[in-house]
């Protein structure tokens, strides 16, 4: 076999699990070519009319895609196109182009591209993932408008004729939306992060995907045989027979294990010596309840309510929120649902709210800080949650608490919401339980004082790790320092649990650490009462808990607390899981 077909292994970030093999389909952006053309002053109206026609055509196409997406997926993914429509409907953007055509006396393509480049550049500079993606939206829409000005149709992924793995520098949401599900079996892109639109859609479509490959577009040609492992983030070009055999057995083994795990759906997460842990799941939107039930989690330990506020042009009002919360509460009853109040800021921004640009958004105007400063927004949400509490299984949780004062102030607003509803004769649960997230080190350190004021704690390890270790959770450069098993983290968790126990309240963990099957026995041994995990991780965590005894979890935790390095703790955890639940270690790859 010549060099041309030598196996090449590329490593990126797996964002949607599973393994697929197929021919690559390379998408190279065919940008519309145009030349700069001087126009006479009296030609400007015709040029502007061409532009308006192209805008109308673009708007129509976007509406079409959106309708198709709504049918194929759900409202959440289709709403990504709201952002595209916002660009087409942005009066200042459109008027700047029109003014430019009149002032510069050149064809509209030239002005459009310049104005768009300025907008996109300004957004791309903002160092914020959400806004960078808005820059990608602008480029995507402008490409579409330019095609319409040229009277061309886009060379869309939808035209694929056989099942392929789509390889691209990055996929735009419209590319992703126009693909045919029976034709695209995997994605491999050079750019992108777990929160990019491609990743969001890949997960929703359950198509294995790897992003952040840097040079896949150069190393892969259309027609090359490619293997995509969305679990480990590996992409193999021209896989050798040996690789195929290895993946063949991995896939068969994973399938067998998955089928066995399915049989545990109605079983409790109970250790061999009878210690039961509440195994709940995290959700972002009401439709995620399906996955919670399918994967056998009991209740919802974290409903990230802010996702109802993203990718839309207006805030959801009280009744819309109440409907969403009520739907979740009703479907999950009698099991509980913990509704976390708005955690906007950090990397999550609602386009409908005026939120300032910050140098350090994670340390800034985020979560409870934002809510206490915007009592109208907060009160509306509290009233909506209270309305849903008639199901008697709703709990309220405040994010990013860093001191007792914030709990008191939030509590006063909750009381106000109760009084208002009471006066209006709206029914609600007067005893709705209130808890706080422990995700700022200061909260863990004053956990004793917090514990007297609330009914439960839920440890948000994603943020607790970033704030304790000073490691930005979305910065690839410092990922190597992001260590859940760092001794400082274990001590803060332990201290939080001790404080909760002395006050007679319970503690959960809802950060990703809790959903790591290798670390579940450690957390159980440290004394957590509840683990709330991504729905698809629930069967794996349950299996590990059922394979160990509580006393060995306690021994593991005691030993781990003596370790000086996070790596040593991880090694201890891995050893226990390998001994008790080797299949799960296999499944994790
Ligand atoms: C956490 O910080 O661990 C958490 C669960 O909240 P989020 O990931 O939404 O910040
Ligand atoms: Mg958090």
């Amino acid at each position: 076999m010549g060099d041309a077909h030598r196996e090449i292994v590329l490593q990126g970030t797996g964002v949607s699990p599973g393994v697929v093999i197929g021919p690559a389909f390379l998408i190279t952006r065919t940008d519309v070519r145009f030349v700069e053309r001087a126009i006479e002053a009296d030609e400007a109206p015709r040029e502007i009319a061409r532009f308006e026609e192209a805008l109308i055509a673009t708007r129509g196409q976007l509406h079409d895609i959106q309708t198709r997406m709504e049918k194929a997926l759900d409202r959440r993914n289709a709403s990504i196109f709201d952002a595209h429509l916002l660009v087409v409907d942005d009066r200042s953007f459109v008027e700047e182009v029109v003014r430019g055509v009149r002032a510069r006396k050149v064809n509209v393509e030239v002005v459009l591209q310049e104005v768009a480049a300025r907008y996109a550049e300004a957004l791309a500079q903002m160092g914020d993932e959400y806004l960078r993606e808005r820059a990608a939206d602008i480029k995507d829409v402008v490409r579409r408008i330019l095609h319409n000005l040229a009277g061309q149709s886009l060379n869309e992924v939808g035209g694929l004729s056989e099942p392929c793995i789509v390889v691209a520098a990055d996929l735009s949401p419209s590319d992703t939306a126009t693909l045919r599900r029976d034709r695209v079996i995997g994605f491999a892109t050079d750019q992108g992060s777990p929160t990019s639109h491609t990743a969001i859609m890949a997960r929703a479509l359950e198509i294995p995907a790897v992003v952040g490959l840097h040079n896949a577009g150069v190393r892969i040609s259309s027609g090359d045989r490619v293997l995509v492992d969305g679990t480990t983030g590996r992409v193999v070009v021209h896989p050798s027979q040996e690789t195929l055999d290895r993946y063949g057995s991995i896939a068969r083994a994973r399938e067998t294990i998955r089928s066995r795990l399915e049989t545990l759906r109605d079983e409790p997460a109970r250790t061999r010596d009878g210690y039961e842990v509440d195994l709940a799941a995290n959700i972002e939107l009401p439709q995620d309840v399906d996955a919670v039930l399918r994967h056998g989690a009991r209740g919802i330990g974290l409903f990230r309510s802010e996702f109802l506020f993203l990718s839309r042009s207006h805030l959801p009002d009280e009744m819309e929120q109440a409907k969403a919360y009520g739907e979740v509460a009703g479907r999950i009853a009698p099991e509980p649902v913990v509704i976390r109040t708005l955690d906007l800021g950090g990397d999550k921004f609602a386009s409908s709210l005026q939120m300032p640009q910050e140098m350090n958004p994670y340390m800034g105007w985020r979560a409870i800080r934002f809510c206490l400063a915007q009592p109208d927004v907060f009160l509306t949400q509290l009233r909506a949650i209270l309305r849903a509490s008639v199901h008697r299984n709703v709990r309220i949780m405040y994010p990013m608490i860093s001191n007792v004062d914030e709990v008191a102030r939030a509590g006063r607003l909750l009381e106000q919401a109760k009084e208002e509803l009471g006066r209006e004769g709206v029914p609600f649960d007067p005893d709705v339980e209130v808890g706080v997230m422990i995700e700022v080190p200061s909260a863990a350190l004053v956990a004793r004082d917090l514990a007297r004021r609330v009914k439960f704690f839920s440890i948000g390890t994603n943020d607790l790790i970033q704030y304790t270790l000073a490691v930005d959770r979305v910065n690839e450069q410092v990922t190597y320092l992001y260590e859940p098993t760092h001794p400082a983290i274990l001590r803060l968790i332990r201290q939080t649990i001790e404080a909760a126990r002395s006050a007679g309240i319970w503690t959960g963990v809802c950060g990703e650490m809790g959903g790591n099957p290798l670390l579940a026995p450690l957390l159980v041994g440290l004394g957590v009462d509840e683990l709330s995990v991504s729905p698809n991780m629930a069967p794996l965590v349950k299996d590990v808990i059922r394979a160990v005894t509580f006393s060995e979890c306690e021994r593991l935790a005691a030993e781990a607390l003596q370790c000086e390095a996070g790596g040593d703790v991880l090694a201890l955890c891995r050893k226990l899981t390998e001994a008790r639940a080797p299949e799960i270690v296999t499944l994790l790859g």
Side-chain angles (χ1 to χ4, degrees):
M1 198 185 287
D3 247 20
H5 287 116
R6 219 186 44 214
E7 176 174 292
I8 305 169
V9 180
L10 306 173
Q11 185 66 50
T13 309
V15 293
S16 182
V19 177
V20 278
I21 303 165
F25 180 89
L26 199 67
I27 299 184
T28 40
R29 287 270 142 68
T30 46
D31 286 329
V32 181
R33 288 178 201 281
F34 56 83
V35 285
E36 181 165 333
R37 191 164 45 81
I39 57 167
E40 298 296 328
D42 62 357
E43 281 182 90
R46 205 191 62 209
E47 211 46 33
I48 293 163
R50 276 181 66 226
F51 179 46
E52 298 205 323
E53 274 166 33
L55 286 179
I56 292 168
T58 305
R59 201 176 290 127
Q61 289 159 358
L62 290 171
H63 276 301
D64 271 3
I65 296 175
Q66 202 169 32
T67 314
R68 261 191 286 160
M69 288 288 295
E70 272 175 6
K71 283 198 191 120
L73 291 165
D74 54 40
R75 175 68 211 149
R76 168 175 45 155
N77 291 308
S79 67
I80 287 167
F81 292 93
D82 287 350
H84 285 200
L85 284 163
L86 283 179
V87 178
V88 181
D89 290 333
D90 183 337
R91 281 328 294 173
S92 54
F93 176 75
V94 171
E95 275 159 21
E96 204 170 324
V97 176
V98 169
R99 270 199 309 275
V101 170
R102 288 203 184 105
R104 300 221 4 233
K105 301 199 181 57
V106 288
N107 49 327
V108 67
E109 284 90 344
V110 176
V111 182
L112 171 64
Q113 206 163 46
E114 284 172 5
V115 172
R118 268 205 306 280
Y119 270 65
E121 182 63 24
L123 288 171
Q125 294 288 319
M126 288 186 174
D128 166 281
E129 194 165 352
Y130 177 79
L131 292 171
R132 277 203 303 272
E133 284 177 6
R134 296 290 74 77
D137 288 335
I138 291 190
K139 286 187 191 146
D140 195 25
V141 174
V142 168
R143 193 164 63 96
R144 192 172 279 282
I145 302 173
L146 286 171
H147 274 89
N148 285 322
L149 280 166
Q152 297 170 1
S153 68
L154 280 168
N155 170 23
E156 284 169 346
V157 192
L160 293 173
S161 57
E162 59 172 324
C164 292
I165 289 171
V166 169
V167 180
D170 197 6
L171 283 175
S172 69
S174 10
D175 288 331
T176 319
T178 47
L179 59 84
R180 286 192 38 196
R181 210 181 155 176
D182 53 340
R183 294 280 180 259
V184 178
I185 53 173
F187 291 124
T189 66
D190 285 341
Q191 292 155 27
S193 68
T195 53
S196 66
H197 289 136
T198 312
I200 293 169
M201 294 218 194
R203 282 197 289 270
L205 293 162
E206 299 195 10
I207 292 178
V210 176
V211 302
L213 285 158
H214 302 298
N215 57 0
V218 180
R219 310 288 298 271
I220 303 174
S221 310
S222 276
D224 282 353
R225 201 163 154 74
V226 172
L227 180 152
V228 171
D229 183 345
T231 309
T232 61
R234 213 164 291 141
V235 171
V236 188
V237 194
H238 308 305
S240 64
Q241 194 53 47
E242 193 190 331
T243 303
L244 291 175
D245 291 346
R246 198 174 67 245
Y247 267 98
S249 28
I250 291 176
R252 279 190 298 279
R254 283 185 183 162
E255 203 36 57
T256 317
I257 301 169
R258 280 274 175 194
S259 315
R260 182 180 66 72
L261 291 182
E262 270 177 32
T263 65
L264 297 180
R265 198 174 58 197
D266 299 322
E267 301 296 328
R270 187 184 296 141
T271 62
R272 281 177 25 233
D273 50 357
Y275 181 87
E276 191 159 333
V277 180
D278 288 328
L279 182 58
N282 299 344
I283 66 165
E284 277 79 49
L285 285 167
Q287 52 266 44
D288 299 339
V289 174
D290 294 338
V292 177
L293 300 172
R294 192 168 68 243
H295 291 293
R298 299 228 174 122
I300 292 163
L302 170 65
F303 178 178
R304 290 182 163 100
S305 66
E306 61 278 3
F307 277 79
L308 292 172
F309 289 64
L310 304 182
S311 288
R312 50 183 294 159
S313 41
H314 306 287
L315 287 183
D317 64 17
E318 178 176 330
M319 294 318 282
E320 185 183 344
Q321 288 185 58
K323 185 165 170 281
Y325 306 144
E327 181 188 327
V328 172
R331 289 192 63 198
I332 211 75
E335 303 295 344
V337 50
V338 177
I339 303 178
R340 174 173 78 184
T341 58
L342 271 179
D343 183 4
L344 288 169
D347 61 346
K348 288 172 282 194
F349 295 96
S351 32
S352 43
L353 284 166
Q354 296 299 316
M355 297 185 75
Q357 272 308 304
E358 295 177 299
M359 290 287 282
N360 259 321
Y362 274 115
M363 304 255 217
W365 208 41
R366 185 186 167 190
I368 196 70
R369 301 170 182 184
F370 169 83
C371 284
L372 292 174
Q374 301 277 319
D376 291 348
V377 176
F378 195 30
L379 266 173
T380 304
Q381 181 176 42
L382 293 172
R383 287 175 52 109
I385 299 176
L386 286 170
R387 282 179 186 270
S389 72
V390 283
H391 292 276
R392 298 272 159 177
N393 61 342
V394 170
R395 294 169 179 165
I396 298 178
M397 177 160 75
Y398 304 133
M400 210 192 172
I401 291 294
S402 64
N403 60 44
V404 291
D405 185 49
E406 286 165 337
V407 183
R409 289 175 62 201
R412 284 198 289 276
L413 285 166
L414 180 62
E415 282 314 307
Q416 183 181 333
K418 285 182 181 174
E419 274 163 32
E420 287 175 6
L421 290 177
R423 271 200 308 275
E424 293 161 29
V426 176
F428 62 88
D429 176 3
D431 303 317
V432 61
E433 284 189 8
V434 174
V436 289
M437 291 199 67
I438 302 290
E439 51 183 351
V440 178
S442 62
L445 295 168
V446 299
R448 254 169 221 288
D449 305 318
L450 291 171
R452 284 197 299 275
R453 294 164 164 86
V454 294
K455 289 280 190 283
F456 65 93
F457 285 157
S458 187
I459 305 178
T461 51
N462 303 342
D463 279 312
L464 186 65
I465 296 166
Q466 98 160 334
Y467 293 134
T468 306
L469 306 183
V471 179
D472 181 346
R473 65 191 259 194
V474 295
N475 184 338
E476 281 171 32
Q477 311 275 26
V478 288
T479 312
Y480 72 101
L481 288 170
Y482 192 91
E483 214 178 13
T485 50
H486 189 294
I489 302 300
L490 303 195
R491 287 172 209 176
L492 287 176
I493 294 177
R494 180 72 191 160
Q495 197 167 327
T496 302
I497 292 167
E498 277 167 359
R501 283 190 174 161
S502 348
I505 66 169
W506 60 270
T507 307
V509 170
C510 61
E512 294 302 307
M513 183 179 181
N516 181 341
L518 297 182
L519 305 184
L522 172 65
L523 293 171
V524 172
L526 285 169
V528 303
D529 302 289
E530 178 229 44
L531 291 173
S532 190
V533 308
S534 310
N536 63 349
M537 292 313 282
L540 284 74
V541 171
K542 189 188 281 185
D543 195 48
V544 172
I545 292 174
R546 292 173 61 83
V548 295
T549 61
F550 182 56
S551 38
E552 62 195 356
C553 292
E554 283 191 311
R555 273 201 301 280
L556 170 70
E559 229 182 304
L561 284 168
Q562 299 304 314
C563 290
E564 289 179 2
D568 296 340
V569 176
L570 185 59
L572 288 175
C573 295
R574 181 173 276 279
K575 198 167 138 208
L576 179 64
T577 313
E578 262 165 3
R580 298 285 177 264
E583 283 190 345
I584 297 301
V585 181
T586 309
L587 205 55
L588 295 174

